[in-house]
Amino acid sequence: MKKLALHWKIIIAMFLGIIWSFLSGKLGLAQFTADWIDPFGTIFINCLKFIAIPLVMFSIITGIATIGKETNLGRMGARTMGLYVFTTMFAITTGLTVVNLFKPGVIKDETKRLENRLEYEIWANENGVKIADGRNLLATADSSVVAKVNASWNAKKSSDEYAEMMEKSSSSSAAFEDRGPLQPLVDLIPENLILSLSDGNLMLQVIFFAMFFGFSSRFLPAHQARPMINFFEAVNETFIKMVQLVMKAAPFFVFCLMAGVLTKKAGSAEELLQQLADLGYYSLVVVIGLLFALFVFYPTLMRVFGVKIPYGKFFREMSPAMILAFSSSSSAAALPVTIDCVENRLKVPKKITDLVLPIGATLNMDGTSLYQAVAVIFLAQYHDVDLTLIQQLGIIITATLASFGAAAVPGAGLIMLIMVLSSLGLNPMWIALISPVDRLLDMCRTVNNVVSDAVVAIIINRMEEKQVKVIPPEEY
């Protein structure tokens, strides 16, 4: 019998982990899962994360140092950023399209819809925020209904859950809003490289250092540059080998990861299913948008740029990275595997993957941006707020800037959603409504983030293959 491929082993392990999470809830084994199974999932993610940062640094250094002429680096960088901005904006547009088409947030119960609307207007009046669509139903609503909504709103504000969410929201938004116009540029420059290497939220600083170091090395005499590049290439290959060794045990680790995540998310199968049912239509719309981008937009984009990788081959070769992204919800954790898939399976040259993929894992968040667009309009629909076409188009700009600007700030996804809601005059605390399914949707959207990075790397390779020439080793 033919040996079972790694990606099939991982898929089987993932489903076994899901089944175990349901059984553990039924059989009262949630604590056993948390104590004896979930830690192995954490170990797996930690292994990939501690590999990711040095791998990014050494891969970028070697990639830039060997890429060829200085003009090639600028051209490749400009094309990479241009494609990342384009795919992000398209993802947001896709999100807006599906959420307006299916309208998952529109409530048929007129009483409930009115109450949600009045709660929004009460919040806006309390905080001095201009109502997004200009309507004022408080002035005409029945006084008994207004009193009921007021009482409900005051009770909600005094709850521990609201206070905790408000604290997180305030600290996250304050950290971003207090930044000056040039603060993103300041954040890009590491004050201490060692601290940057030890903090996964400072990946942009590591990328800046690696690019600056690699570019500077190009001005060294060949006899000095070659030994240094050989050293960095050897170190980089060692980290790749570490990833391959860790991935040999990936099926076991993915089982533990899925079992632990879902068991912690919902202590019982009934609770998990109820969470999905409550926000099922909303979740379905998000998934529809993600699937369209994944299986229609990205393959089409590659065809437009003349990439002739067969449809099935692309997803088959990317499957280990996609499955890991799904189970870990982390583009950074999946980065070493993404590099391995794109470079060794899809045969994209190392000089491309070393530059494009680390930047994409840090800045490019297509799946997250699509999710943000759906979430914002869903929450507006749920509270009966009619956003105009101009306001919705503004989401494209705001979410695109947020996806790049918030990348170096902890809690980037939360900050993005808070920024977009606040920019439209909507209550950022509405995020509590969709938080029960956020983890599961995060798993889905991370897959798009990873695939988008791979697609851009493949396209850049296609665009550069006739222009970029790597300096042969004998010329050093």
Side-chain angles (χ1 to χ4, degrees):
M1 190 174 92
K2 187 178 179 180
K3 186 177 180 182
L4 197 63
L6 176 63
H7 64 272
W8 285 116
K9 293 179 182 178
I10 296 176
I11 290 174
I12 293 170
M14 182 177 66
F15 280 105
L16 289 176
I18 294 172
I19 293 171
W20 176 264
S21 70
F22 280 87
L23 289 176
S24 65
K26 284 282 189 181
L27 302 176
L29 297 174
Q31 191 59 46
F32 172 83
T33 301
D35 291 341
W36 297 99
I37 295 179
D38 181 59
F40 288 103
T42 304
I43 290 170
F44 180 51
I45 296 302
N46 287 346
C47 284
L48 292 174
K49 282 187 173 180
F50 84 70
I51 292 172
I53 293 181
L55 179 63
V56 166
M57 184 173 72
F58 290 115
S59 64
I60 290 179
I61 289 174
T62 56
I64 292 179
T66 60
I67 208 169
K69 299 178 181 179
E70 287 77 356
T71 52
N72 291 341
L73 177 61
R75 181 181 62 244
M76 186 186 299
R79 287 174 170 174
T80 298
M81 293 307 299
L83 279 170
Y84 280 149
V85 171
F86 173 73
T87 58
T88 298
M89 295 182 71
F90 185 89
I92 298 168
T93 304
T94 299
L96 293 176
T97 302
V98 294
V99 76
N100 281 287
L101 181 63
F102 294 102
K103 301 184 184 302
V106 175
I107 302 175
K108 295 181 179 179
D109 186 335
E110 293 186 7
T111 301
K112 178 63 175 176
R113 185 166 67 249
L114 176 62
E115 290 176 354
N116 288 347
R117 170 69 193 199
L118 294 178
E119 180 184 291
Y120 163 62
E121 293 189 10
I122 290 171
W123 168 83
N125 290 337
E126 286 182 356
N127 292 274
V129 176
K130 182 180 178 181
I131 294 175
D133 57 8
R135 293 188 294 158
N136 185 10
L137 272 63
L138 274 174
T140 58
D142 185 272
S143 58
S144 61
V145 176
V146 175
K148 176 185 175 182
V149 174
N150 250 319
S152 174
W153 171 241
N154 289 330
K156 185 181 295 185
K157 287 193 298 183
S158 61
S159 68
D160 293 338
E161 181 183 4
Y162 185 91
E164 182 181 354
M165 189 67 72
M166 177 64 81
E167 182 179 355
K168 290 181 180 178
S169 173
S170 299
S171 60
S172 298
S173 57
F176 195 86
E177 290 174 0
D178 290 344
R179 296 151 60 92
L182 292 180
Q183 190 61 41
L185 184 61
V186 174
D187 292 339
L188 189 63
I189 313 301
E191 180 179 354
N192 186 315
L193 179 62
I194 303 302
L195 294 178
S196 300
L197 288 168
S198 65
D199 188 345
N201 293 308
L202 300 178
M203 183 76 85
L204 275 177
Q205 295 187 354
V206 176
I207 290 175
F208 171 82
F209 167 79
M211 294 180 71
F212 190 29
F213 188 96
F215 183 75
S216 299
S217 70
R218 297 158 65 88
F219 295 97
L220 293 177
H223 68 280
Q224 293 180 341
R226 187 67 251 173
M228 180 190 67
I229 293 172
N230 287 338
F231 169 76
F232 284 133
E233 286 179 338
V235 172
N236 191 50
E237 289 301 319
T238 303
F239 278 108
I240 291 292
K241 183 58 67 176
M242 291 171 68
V243 174
Q244 293 171 349
L245 292 174
V246 170
M247 288 302 293
K248 288 183 181 297
F252 167 73
F253 285 129
V254 168
F255 165 80
C256 297
L257 187 63
M258 291 300 298
V261 165
L262 295 182
T263 301
K264 285 189 295 185
K265 185 59 188 173
S268 68
E270 290 79 5
E271 184 181 349
L272 178 60
L273 291 174
Q274 186 59 49
Q275 289 178 353
L276 289 173
D278 290 343
L279 294 168
Y281 193 24
Y282 156 73
S283 302
L284 179 62
V285 171
V286 173
V287 171
I288 289 173
L290 293 173
L291 290 176
F292 173 81
L294 191 62
F295 294 111
V296 178
F297 171 64
Y298 296 133
T300 302
L301 187 63
M302 287 193 291
R303 290 294 182 273
V304 168
F305 282 93
V307 177
K308 297 180 180 180
I309 298 176
Y311 188 90
K313 175 180 172 63
F314 172 76
F315 287 106
R316 184 170 60 253
E317 302 300 347
M318 280 299 299
S319 57
M322 293 169 65
I323 296 168
L324 181 57
F326 180 81
S327 56
S328 68
S329 300
S330 172
S331 298
L335 177 61
V337 182
T338 305
I339 292 175
D340 182 60
C341 289
V342 177
E343 184 179 325
N344 297 320
R345 290 167 170 257
L346 294 171
K347 306 304 180 185
V348 174
K350 186 176 177 60
K351 65 179 182 291
I352 303 292
T353 60
D354 284 352
L355 179 65
V356 176
L357 293 178
I359 294 175
T362 308
L363 293 179
N364 187 44
M365 296 186 283
D366 285 6
T368 303
S369 299
L370 186 151
Y371 160 81
Q372 303 282 346
V374 176
V376 169
I377 302 301
F378 166 77
L379 292 171
Q381 292 172 347
Y382 188 80
H383 293 86
D384 196 27
V385 181
D386 296 324
L387 297 178
T388 65
L389 177 61
I390 299 299
Q391 287 173 313
Q392 293 197 33
L393 291 176
I395 294 176
I396 298 176
I397 304 300
T398 305
T400 301
L401 294 175
S403 68
F404 287 96
V409 182
L414 175 65
I415 292 174
M416 286 173 63
L417 191 51
I418 289 173
M419 282 184 61
V420 178
L421 287 169
S422 299
S423 69
L424 294 170
L426 304 177
N427 185 357
M429 296 310 301
W430 288 349
I431 58 177
L433 182 66
I434 58 176
S435 62
V437 295
D438 182 70
R439 169 65 177 179
L440 294 175
L441 293 179
D442 191 15
M443 297 163 74
C444 297
R445 63 189 187 240
T446 305
V447 176
N448 283 54
N449 294 346
V450 167
V451 172
S452 174
D453 296 343
V455 168
V456 170
I458 292 168
I459 292 173
I460 292 296
N461 178 50
R462 174 64 179 172
M463 297 170 72
E464 294 286 323
E465 60 185 357
K466 293 184 178 180
Q467 300 177 31
V468 178
K469 295 182 180 179
V470 180
I471 300 175
E474 59 270 15
E475 294 185 17
Y476 281 101

